[in-house]
């Protein structure tokens, strides 16, 4: 008779014990204390009224910054045209082409030029697919729940990439003009194409692992991989079209006296002439994508290196990042870690020499997409909340508050007493965003949110060159810089 009563008592006791909150839990007493201590002062009331009816970005705009804003630059690179990556993650590829556009314009004396981004996109997707499948063979014994496998399976064929991937693509596949392979709906909006490619690649990953478990044969795994790549190629052709093996191209040609004649004409007459007179063209010529690059651009991309302001690692270190190669036999993203003043000095020197500069940054904070402004104090959220929200660059990166998420190109700088006041940025978001597709980046934004630039070796000081002579320390793919 006593046993049931004892069990009931034990059950009640266990229930009571379960209701005791562990230390650190958000208890009713703590909530009550915070509510009682909260002071709805005049500032809080005013901000609540404002925030419930107005965008916080509008409310927090720093009028002093906006009033002092101007678009005057002491040095500009000779280039024209704004590209648009649309709903795709190809900024790294667009930024790479934006640094090469001034080269071909100067070499062929063109008023404008655009590369075909979809052409490299096709081969980038195909190379990434091969790399993923090779990793599935390489990691055939690894638990799918391990961190490396989790990363690989999460996005087998993403849009993103790095300068080193751009170099690998151009050197292996060459480039073509925009009109040779035009954009498609899938190249400009990649979400569903990527979803289906990822699903197909994961399916083949399962098949490869099954083959290994049942046969242990690498030869059979590679034979299956070849069949998988044929399916990937088909999907890419259906979405993006067949990449050209060769093509015929010609370009506008200026007579030697054209420039002098244009200067003497008024704007109305110039417009009439352009409308009524056929533009002379070069003789048609057949190119392969690689011969087109060699003959019309010719820049040795092996002479370019990656310099970064990595606030986590020691300055002077040479760092590579795991899983950042798009080619299985390609190069990983790797950089020399230098101070931000070195980045600025080299970028300034390149712009003075009429070279566009590829760079990568955290593009999310303190930038106005409508006006085309990047300024570290553009929004004063601290005053709105009455709180200090500042975190330094190192801690923002370590704690994932900041990330290197967008590639662009510097095409100008405004110097006063040989010190940068602001930078002219060519973006790849079309002409409807920013100031006709351009952004004015103030130097304080550079210091906080620019993380790396790509530069020719000839601009490197001797001590920076020596950094690349060291073996690179390989960081895991979850390292915050990338």
């Amino acid at each position: 008779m006593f046993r049931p009563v004892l069990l009931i008592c034990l059950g009640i006791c266990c229930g009571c014990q379960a209701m005791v909150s562990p230390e650190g839990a958000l208890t009713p007493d703590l909530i009550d204390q915070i509510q009682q201590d909260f002071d709805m002062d005049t500032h809080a009331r005013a901000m609540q009224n404002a925030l419930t009816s107005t965008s916080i970005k509008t409310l927090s705009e720093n009028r002093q910054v906006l009033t002092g804003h101007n678009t005057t630059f002491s040095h500009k690179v000779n280039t024209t045209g704004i590209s648009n990556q649309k709903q795709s993650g190809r900024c790294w590829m667009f930024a790479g082409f934006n640094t090469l556009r001034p080269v071909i314009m100067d070499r062929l004396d063109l008023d404008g030029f655009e590369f075909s981004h979809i052409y490299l996109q096709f081969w980038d997707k195909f190379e990434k697919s091969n790399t993923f499948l090779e990793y599935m063979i390489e990691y055939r014994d690894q638990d799918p729940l391990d961190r490396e496998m989790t990363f690989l399976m999460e996005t087998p064929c993403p849009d993103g990439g790095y300068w080193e991937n751009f170099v690998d693509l151009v050197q292996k596949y060459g480039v073509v003009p925009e009109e040779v392979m035009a954009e498609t709906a899938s190249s400009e909006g990649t979400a569903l194409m990527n979803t289906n490619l990822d699903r197909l690649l994961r399916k083949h990953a399962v098949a490869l692992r099954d083959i290994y478990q049942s046969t242990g044969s690498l030869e059979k795994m590679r034979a299956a991989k070849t069949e998988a790549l044929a399916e990937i190629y088909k999907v890419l052709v259906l979405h993006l079209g067949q990449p050209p093996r060769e093509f015929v191209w010609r370009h506008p040609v200026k007579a030697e006296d054209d420039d002098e004649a244009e200067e003497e004409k008024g704007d109305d007459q110039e417009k009439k002439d352009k409308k009524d007179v056929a533009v002379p063209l070069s003789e048609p010529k057949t190119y392969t994508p690689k011969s087109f690059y060699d003959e019309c651009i010719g820049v040795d991309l092996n002479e370019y290196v990656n310099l970064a302001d990595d606030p986590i690692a020691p300055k002077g270190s040479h760092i590579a990042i795991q899983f950042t190669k798009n080619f299985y036999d390609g190069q990983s993203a790797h950089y020399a870690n230098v101070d931000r003043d070195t980045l600025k000095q080299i970028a300034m020197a390149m712009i003075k020499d009429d070279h566009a500069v590829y760079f990568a940054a955290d593009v999310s904070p303190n930038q106005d997409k409508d006006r085309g402004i990047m300024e570290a104090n553009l929004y004063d959220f601290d005053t709105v909340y009455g709180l200090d929200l500042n975190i330094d660059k190192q801690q923002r990166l370590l704690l994932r508050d900041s990330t290197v998420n967008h590639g662009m190109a510097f095409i100008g700088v405004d110097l006063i007493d040989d010190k940068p006041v602001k930078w002219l940025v060519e973006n790849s978001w079309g002409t409807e965003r920013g100031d006709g597709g351009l952004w004015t980046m103030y130097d304080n934004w550079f210091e906080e949110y620019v993380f790396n630039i790509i530069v020719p070796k000839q601009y490197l000081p001797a001590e920076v060159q020596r950094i690349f002579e060291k073996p690179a320390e390989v960081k895991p793919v979850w390292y915050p810089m990338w």
Side-chain angles (χ1 to χ4, degrees):
M1 291 181 62
F2 292 100
R3 188 172 296 171
V5 175
L6 178 61
L7 289 174
I8 292 171
C9 291
L10 286 173
I12 293 173
C13 291
C14 289
C16 292
Q17 188 174 11
M19 292 177 64
V20 176
S21 298
E23 186 172 353
L26 192 58
T27 64
D29 287 344
L30 179 56
I31 293 172
D32 186 59
Q33 177 187 332
I34 290 173
Q35 288 182 324
Q36 288 188 38
D37 291 345
F38 177 65
D39 180 19
M40 193 67 166
D41 58 17
T42 54
H43 175 268
R45 282 197 296 273
M47 288 300 102
Q48 184 187 56
N49 290 338
L51 286 172
T52 52
S53 59
T54 307
S55 160
I56 189 171
K57 289 188 76 172
T58 301
L59 190 65
S60 62
E61 285 178 341
N62 189 327
R63 304 311 302 179
Q64 186 175 359
V65 169
L66 296 177
T67 301
H69 171 63
N70 67 80
T71 57
T72 301
F73 293 90
S74 56
H75 300 80
K76 287 185 180 180
V77 176
N78 182 27
T79 187
T80 59
I82 298 295
S83 53
N84 193 344
Q85 69 187 77
K86 297 193 176 178
Q87 302 303 311
S88 71
R90 297 176 289 167
C91 61
W92 57 281
M93 191 181 293
F94 277 69
F97 278 134
N98 288 344
T99 63
L100 294 179
R101 186 195 293 120
V103 177
I104 190 171
M105 287 176 58
D106 179 65
R107 192 160 183 169
L108 300 182
D109 197 16
L110 303 176
D111 291 329
F113 180 83
E114 191 58 83
F115 291 96
S116 170
H117 301 85
I118 189 176
Y119 171 75
L120 277 198
Q121 181 186 28
F122 183 101
W123 292 117
D124 177 57
K125 292 288 185 186
F126 199 54
E127 289 282 356
K128 283 174 177 170
S129 298
N130 178 66
T131 299
F132 171 80
L133 294 171
E134 273 300 319
Y135 278 138
M136 292 303 100
I137 296 173
E138 181 179 338
Y139 288 88
R140 57 192 177 274
D141 288 319
Q142 195 152 345
D143 189 327
L145 295 180
D146 287 349
R147 197 165 185 180
E148 292 84 0
M149 284 290 288
T150 299
F151 171 80
L152 292 170
M153 288 295 185
E154 188 173 6
T155 49
C157 193
D159 283 349
Y162 308 95
W163 168 260
E164 291 80 1
N165 310 143
F166 180 75
V167 173
D168 284 342
L169 284 164
V170 171
Q171 290 182 332
K172 184 172 182 177
Y173 295 104
V175 300
V176 303
E178 181 182 42
E179 58 266 33
V180 172
M181 188 172 179
E183 295 283 311
T184 68
S186 294
S187 70
E188 296 178 335
T190 57
L192 281 176
M193 176 180 70
N194 287 348
T195 296
N196 291 327
L197 280 172
D198 288 348
R199 173 76 57 84
L200 183 57
L201 285 165
R202 292 189 190 105
K203 174 192 170 185
H204 286 296
V206 172
L208 288 172
R209 290 171 72 88
D210 286 346
I211 290 171
Y212 180 70
Q213 301 231 338
S214 60
T215 70
S217 170
L218 291 182
E219 184 178 351
K220 289 183 178 180
M221 292 181 80
R222 289 234 156 73
K225 189 197 83 167
T226 299
E227 294 178 2
L229 286 173
E231 293 185 4
I232 295 296
Y233 189 87
K234 175 184 178 180
V235 172
L236 289 173
V237 169
L238 294 177
H239 278 282
L240 305 177
Q242 187 94 319
R245 299 169 72 107
E246 63 177 26
F247 58 94
V248 177
W249 188 70
R250 51 186 180 166
H251 60 84
V253 176
K254 294 179 182 178
E256 292 184 3
D257 58 349
D258 275 358
D259 291 337
E260 294 180 7
E262 293 296 334
E263 290 179 3
E264 295 176 1
K265 296 174 183 175
D267 289 342
D268 292 340
Q269 182 63 40
E270 184 179 346
K271 289 178 183 177
K272 184 177 184 301
D273 288 347
K274 286 182 178 179
K275 182 178 179 181
D276 297 342
V277 178
V279 178
L281 298 172
S282 64
E283 289 297 318
K285 184 173 181 178
T286 300
Y287 297 92
T288 66
K290 290 190 72 173
S291 71
F292 179 76
Y293 183 86
D294 292 340
E295 294 179 37
C296 298
I297 300 148
V299 174
D300 184 359
L301 296 179
N302 288 319
E303 288 300 307
Y304 284 71
V305 293
N306 193 335
L307 301 184
D309 172 26
D310 177 351
I312 301 171
K315 298 304 181 186
S317 54
H318 183 196
I319 293 174
I321 310 295
Q322 179 192 28
F323 294 148
T324 52
K325 57 183 183 180
N326 289 4
F327 289 29
Y328 191 69
D329 56 346
Q331 55 181 329
S332 300
H334 67 102
Y335 57 88
N337 190 22
V338 300
D339 62 83
R340 69 190 67 173
D341 286 337
T342 299
L343 298 189
K344 290 183 188 179
Q345 292 300 319
I346 293 177
M348 286 162 50
M350 289 181 64
I351 293 168
K352 287 180 181 179
D353 290 343
D354 206 32
H355 296 306
V357 184
Y358 180 117
F359 75 96
D362 180 3
V363 78
S364 302
N366 288 301
Q367 66 104 357
D368 187 327
K369 292 180 182 179
D370 296 322
R371 297 182 179 94
I373 301 174
M374 297 170 172
E375 212 277 358
N377 301 307
L378 185 58
Y379 299 106
D380 186 5
F381 297 122
D382 289 14
T383 297
V384 172
Y385 294 122
L387 301 170
D388 183 359
L389 300 179
N390 290 316
I391 310 174
D392 67 32
K393 191 173 186 178
Q394 182 192 60
Q395 293 301 320
R396 286 201 313 271
L397 205 58
L398 273 172
L399 303 177
R400 296 336 196 244
D401 185 75
S402 201
T403 180
V404 188
N405 55 25
H406 193 51
M408 295 168 279
F410 289 126
I411 59 169
V413 65
D414 187 27
L415 302 178
I416 296 179
D417 296 330
D418 210 33
K419 293 182 179 180
V421 177
K422 55 186 181 294
W423 305 77
L424 182 59
V425 174
E426 180 181 353
N427 209 336
S428 54
W429 291 345
T431 57
E432 293 183 0
R433 292 189 183 181
D435 184 9
L438 301 176
W439 264 251
T440 297
M441 177 196 295
Y442 287 87
D443 195 57
N444 60 5
W445 199 97
F446 186 119
E447 294 195 349
E448 292 295 327
Y449 302 112
V450 171
F451 286 95
N452 77 297
I453 64 173
I454 305 300
V455 305
K457 295 176 184 176
Q458 69 191 65
Y459 287 91
L460 299 183
E463 63 271 18
V464 176
Q465 292 187 32
R466 286 193 289 270
I467 297 174
F468 287 103
E469 297 171 7
K470 306 176 187 177
E473 176 188 357
V474 180
K475 299 285 189 181
V477 72
W478 48 87
Y479 186 68
M481 266 291 287
W482 305 92

